[in-house]
Amino acid sequence: MAMLSFPGMIDVHVHLREPGATQKEDIFTGTRAALAGGVIAVLDMPNNVPPTIDRPSLEEKKRLFALKAVTDYGIFLGYVGGDVQPLLDLADQVVGLKLYIDETFGDLRMGTKNLEHVFEVWPGPGPIAVHAESSSIPVVLELAERYKQRLHVCHVPHPDDLLLIEAARQRGVEVTCEVTPHHLFLSLEDAQRLGPYGYMKPPLLPPAEVALFWERLSLIDVIASDHAPHTKAEKESPHPPPGVPGLETTLPLLLYAVDEGRLSWERVLELIWENPLRIFRLIPPKDSEVQVILEEPYKLTQEGYYTRCGWSPFGGKWALGRVHSVRLHGQTVWQEGQLLVDPGYGRPLRHGS
Ligand code: DOR
Ligand code: ZN
Ligand code: ZN
């Protein structure tokens, strides 16, 4: 029986929904799902109710993570326009600033209002991470160049955007980017079959464009799930919200792709471990290890996950490997589907230099 061992995944883009929407997920169920998927640290997005945009909301989120997380974690700060003082005051307590340039779930959309000023003043050390559709990507690349900001493009919407990002890199812009597993392993054909369960922003693409993502894989820095759970009732409502869960499926999908020869395991480690640490300037969690049993490829199920929402858009897709155990800070925290530590075991990630 083949066993694979590695330090664990760092998922730089998750929505754990607490506070505000714990019917979808909470910090405990979300970080437990992370362990089930071989993820030892998550970076949580700010589009909560209330949004994580000022000192009280950040303090509350930190308090909740400290109480409930079973993985390590970092928190993004959001911004909705107006006074930039909170950005200056709170920058050193967060892993980055998340800007919603274009429409998505929640009401954090800022558009381009005051955008230039934010690029001018953001002090780091974390990058500015953007939710941007293709039409907005040239705008943020230009601002990152002008103000010498480190920019991280979340869930790149289209493979042609990778070319723009690469051109900016060649000009010396410090820009990195992430692509989601759903943009790599699902297409518009799946979206038609899945209905609301295949609806997210940015949307799925035709198969030929998905193939281009794979051709241009060398231009991608990170694979992050954009784990965005919604309940089945919400997805089946007249106005389904965008977003799909993904914490438990990224690793087996990638391992199957490795098995098929689509990319190397060394490259996967860059995408899920080395680059996340480098881009967000994080000190790796101490003494971590994920053990995966490889055996035969299998098809992912549609249900039966640890995420509270309970479903996956990847049902029927080929996968390889099952997480056997996870060690974190020197202790076995997960083994054969059992959680072995109490809520609150996870620690805040720390900034390196
Ligand atoms: O589909 C999405 N859902 N895209 C996002 O950017 C946000 C996310 C959510 O929070 O549900
Ligand atoms: Zn987004
Ligand atoms: Zn997101």
Side-chain angles (χ1 to χ4, degrees):
M1 185 172 66
M3 186 81 102
L4 174 75
S5 161
F6 70 108
M9 304 173 70
I10 300 200
D11 194 329
V12 306
H13 190 149
V14 306
H15 302 263
L16 297 191
R17 306 302 194 199
E18 188 171 3
T22 51
Q23 79 281 7
K24 302 174 196 283
E25 192 82 284
D26 67 33
I27 292 165
F28 174 69
T29 60
T31 52
R32 189 183 52 176
L35 291 179
V39 174
I40 61 152
V42 295
L43 307 191
D44 188 53
M45 289 296 169
N47 61 335
N48 295 81
V49 185
T52 317
I53 51 171
D54 52 19
R55 194 180 292 277
S57 53
L58 179 61
E59 285 304 323
E60 176 63 358
K61 198 179 248 193
K62 283 166 64 178
R63 187 183 72 82
L64 291 166
F65 267 88
L67 273 178
K68 300 183 74 171
V70 291
T71 63
D72 283 8
Y73 55 89
I75 296 171
F76 277 98
L77 187 65
Y79 175 74
V80 274
D83 189 7
V84 294
Q85 193 59 42
L87 310 188
L88 309 181
D89 295 343
L90 303 172
D92 61 347
Q93 299 181 42
V94 295
V95 287
L97 175 65
K98 176 73 186 282
L99 300 178
Y100 290 87
I101 318 285
D102 293 293
E103 191 64 51
T104 185
F105 180 69
D107 20 82
L108 267 182
R109 179 174 180 189
M110 65 171 294
T112 48
K113 171 183 69 192
N114 226 16
L115 188 59
E116 177 157 358
H117 189 47
V118 172
F119 271 81
E120 196 180 342
V121 301
W122 173 250
I128 296 179
V130 291
H131 174 111
E133 297 292 350
S134 296
S135 56
S136 302
I137 287 182
V139 178
V140 286
L141 288 172
E142 216 272 310
L143 287 173
E145 182 164 19
R146 190 176 319 157
Y147 293 103
K148 304 206 185 326
Q149 279 291 358
R150 293 201 305 127
L151 175 69
H152 180 72
V153 179
C154 298
H155 47 46
V156 172
H158 191 279
D160 287 349
D161 300 322
L162 292 173
L163 304 179
L164 285 182
I165 290 167
E166 177 59 14
R169 271 191 203 113
Q170 297 300 329
R171 295 198 300 275
V173 183
E174 275 198 81
V175 54
T176 54
C177 68
E178 91 205 8
V179 171
T180 70
H182 43 271
H183 291 103
L184 290 172
F185 293 97
L186 299 176
S187 73
L188 211 47
E189 284 176 5
D190 298 292
Q192 277 151 12
R193 176 175 58 80
L194 290 163
Y197 295 99
Y199 168 53
M200 77 292 286
K201 289 179 184 234
L204 295 175
L205 296 173
E209 286 160 42
V210 174
L212 278 180
F213 264 135
W214 282 97
E215 274 177 38
R216 297 174 186 164
L217 206 63
S218 67
L219 305 180
I220 298 171
D221 302 284
V222 173
I223 292 177
S225 69
D226 195 4
H227 178 79
H230 297 286
T231 67
K232 287 187 216 168
E234 290 161 345
K235 280 297 201 182
E236 284 167 22
S237 71
H239 299 286
V244 296
L247 272 166
E248 293 163 76
T249 42
T250 307
L251 182 62
L253 288 166
L254 286 172
L255 285 172
Y256 184 73
V258 169
D259 199 47
E260 276 195 306
R262 302 183 84 175
L263 79 174
S264 69
W265 173 245
E266 288 65 37
R267 180 73 181 123
V268 171
L269 278 179
E270 284 173 14
L271 293 164
I272 62 169
W273 172 258
E274 291 161 28
N275 290 346
L277 290 170
R278 177 177 57 80
I279 293 166
F280 293 92
R281 298 194 173 155
L282 301 169
I283 299 171
K286 261 201 345 267
D287 196 358
S288 69
E289 182 186 23
V290 170
Q291 291 192 326
V292 184
I293 297 173
L294 290 173
E295 294 183 338
E296 293 302 308
Y298 60 96
K299 282 189 177 173
L300 290 170
T301 55
Q302 218 155 320
E303 309 213 339
Y305 292 92
Y306 288 90
T307 172
R308 178 165 288 153
C309 77
W311 57 275
S312 166
F314 296 105
K317 297 290 167 189
W318 282 104
L320 181 68
R322 298 186 191 271
V323 171
H324 167 74
S325 64
V326 181
R327 209 175 69 216
L328 181 60
H329 305 299
Q331 203 172 313
T332 302
V333 294
W334 181 265
Q335 190 156 24
E336 289 169 11
Q338 296 297 316
L339 181 68
L340 303 177
V341 290
D342 292 330
Y345 183 81
R347 302 181 191 173
L349 291 162
R350 307 220 171 273
H351 277 297
S353 46

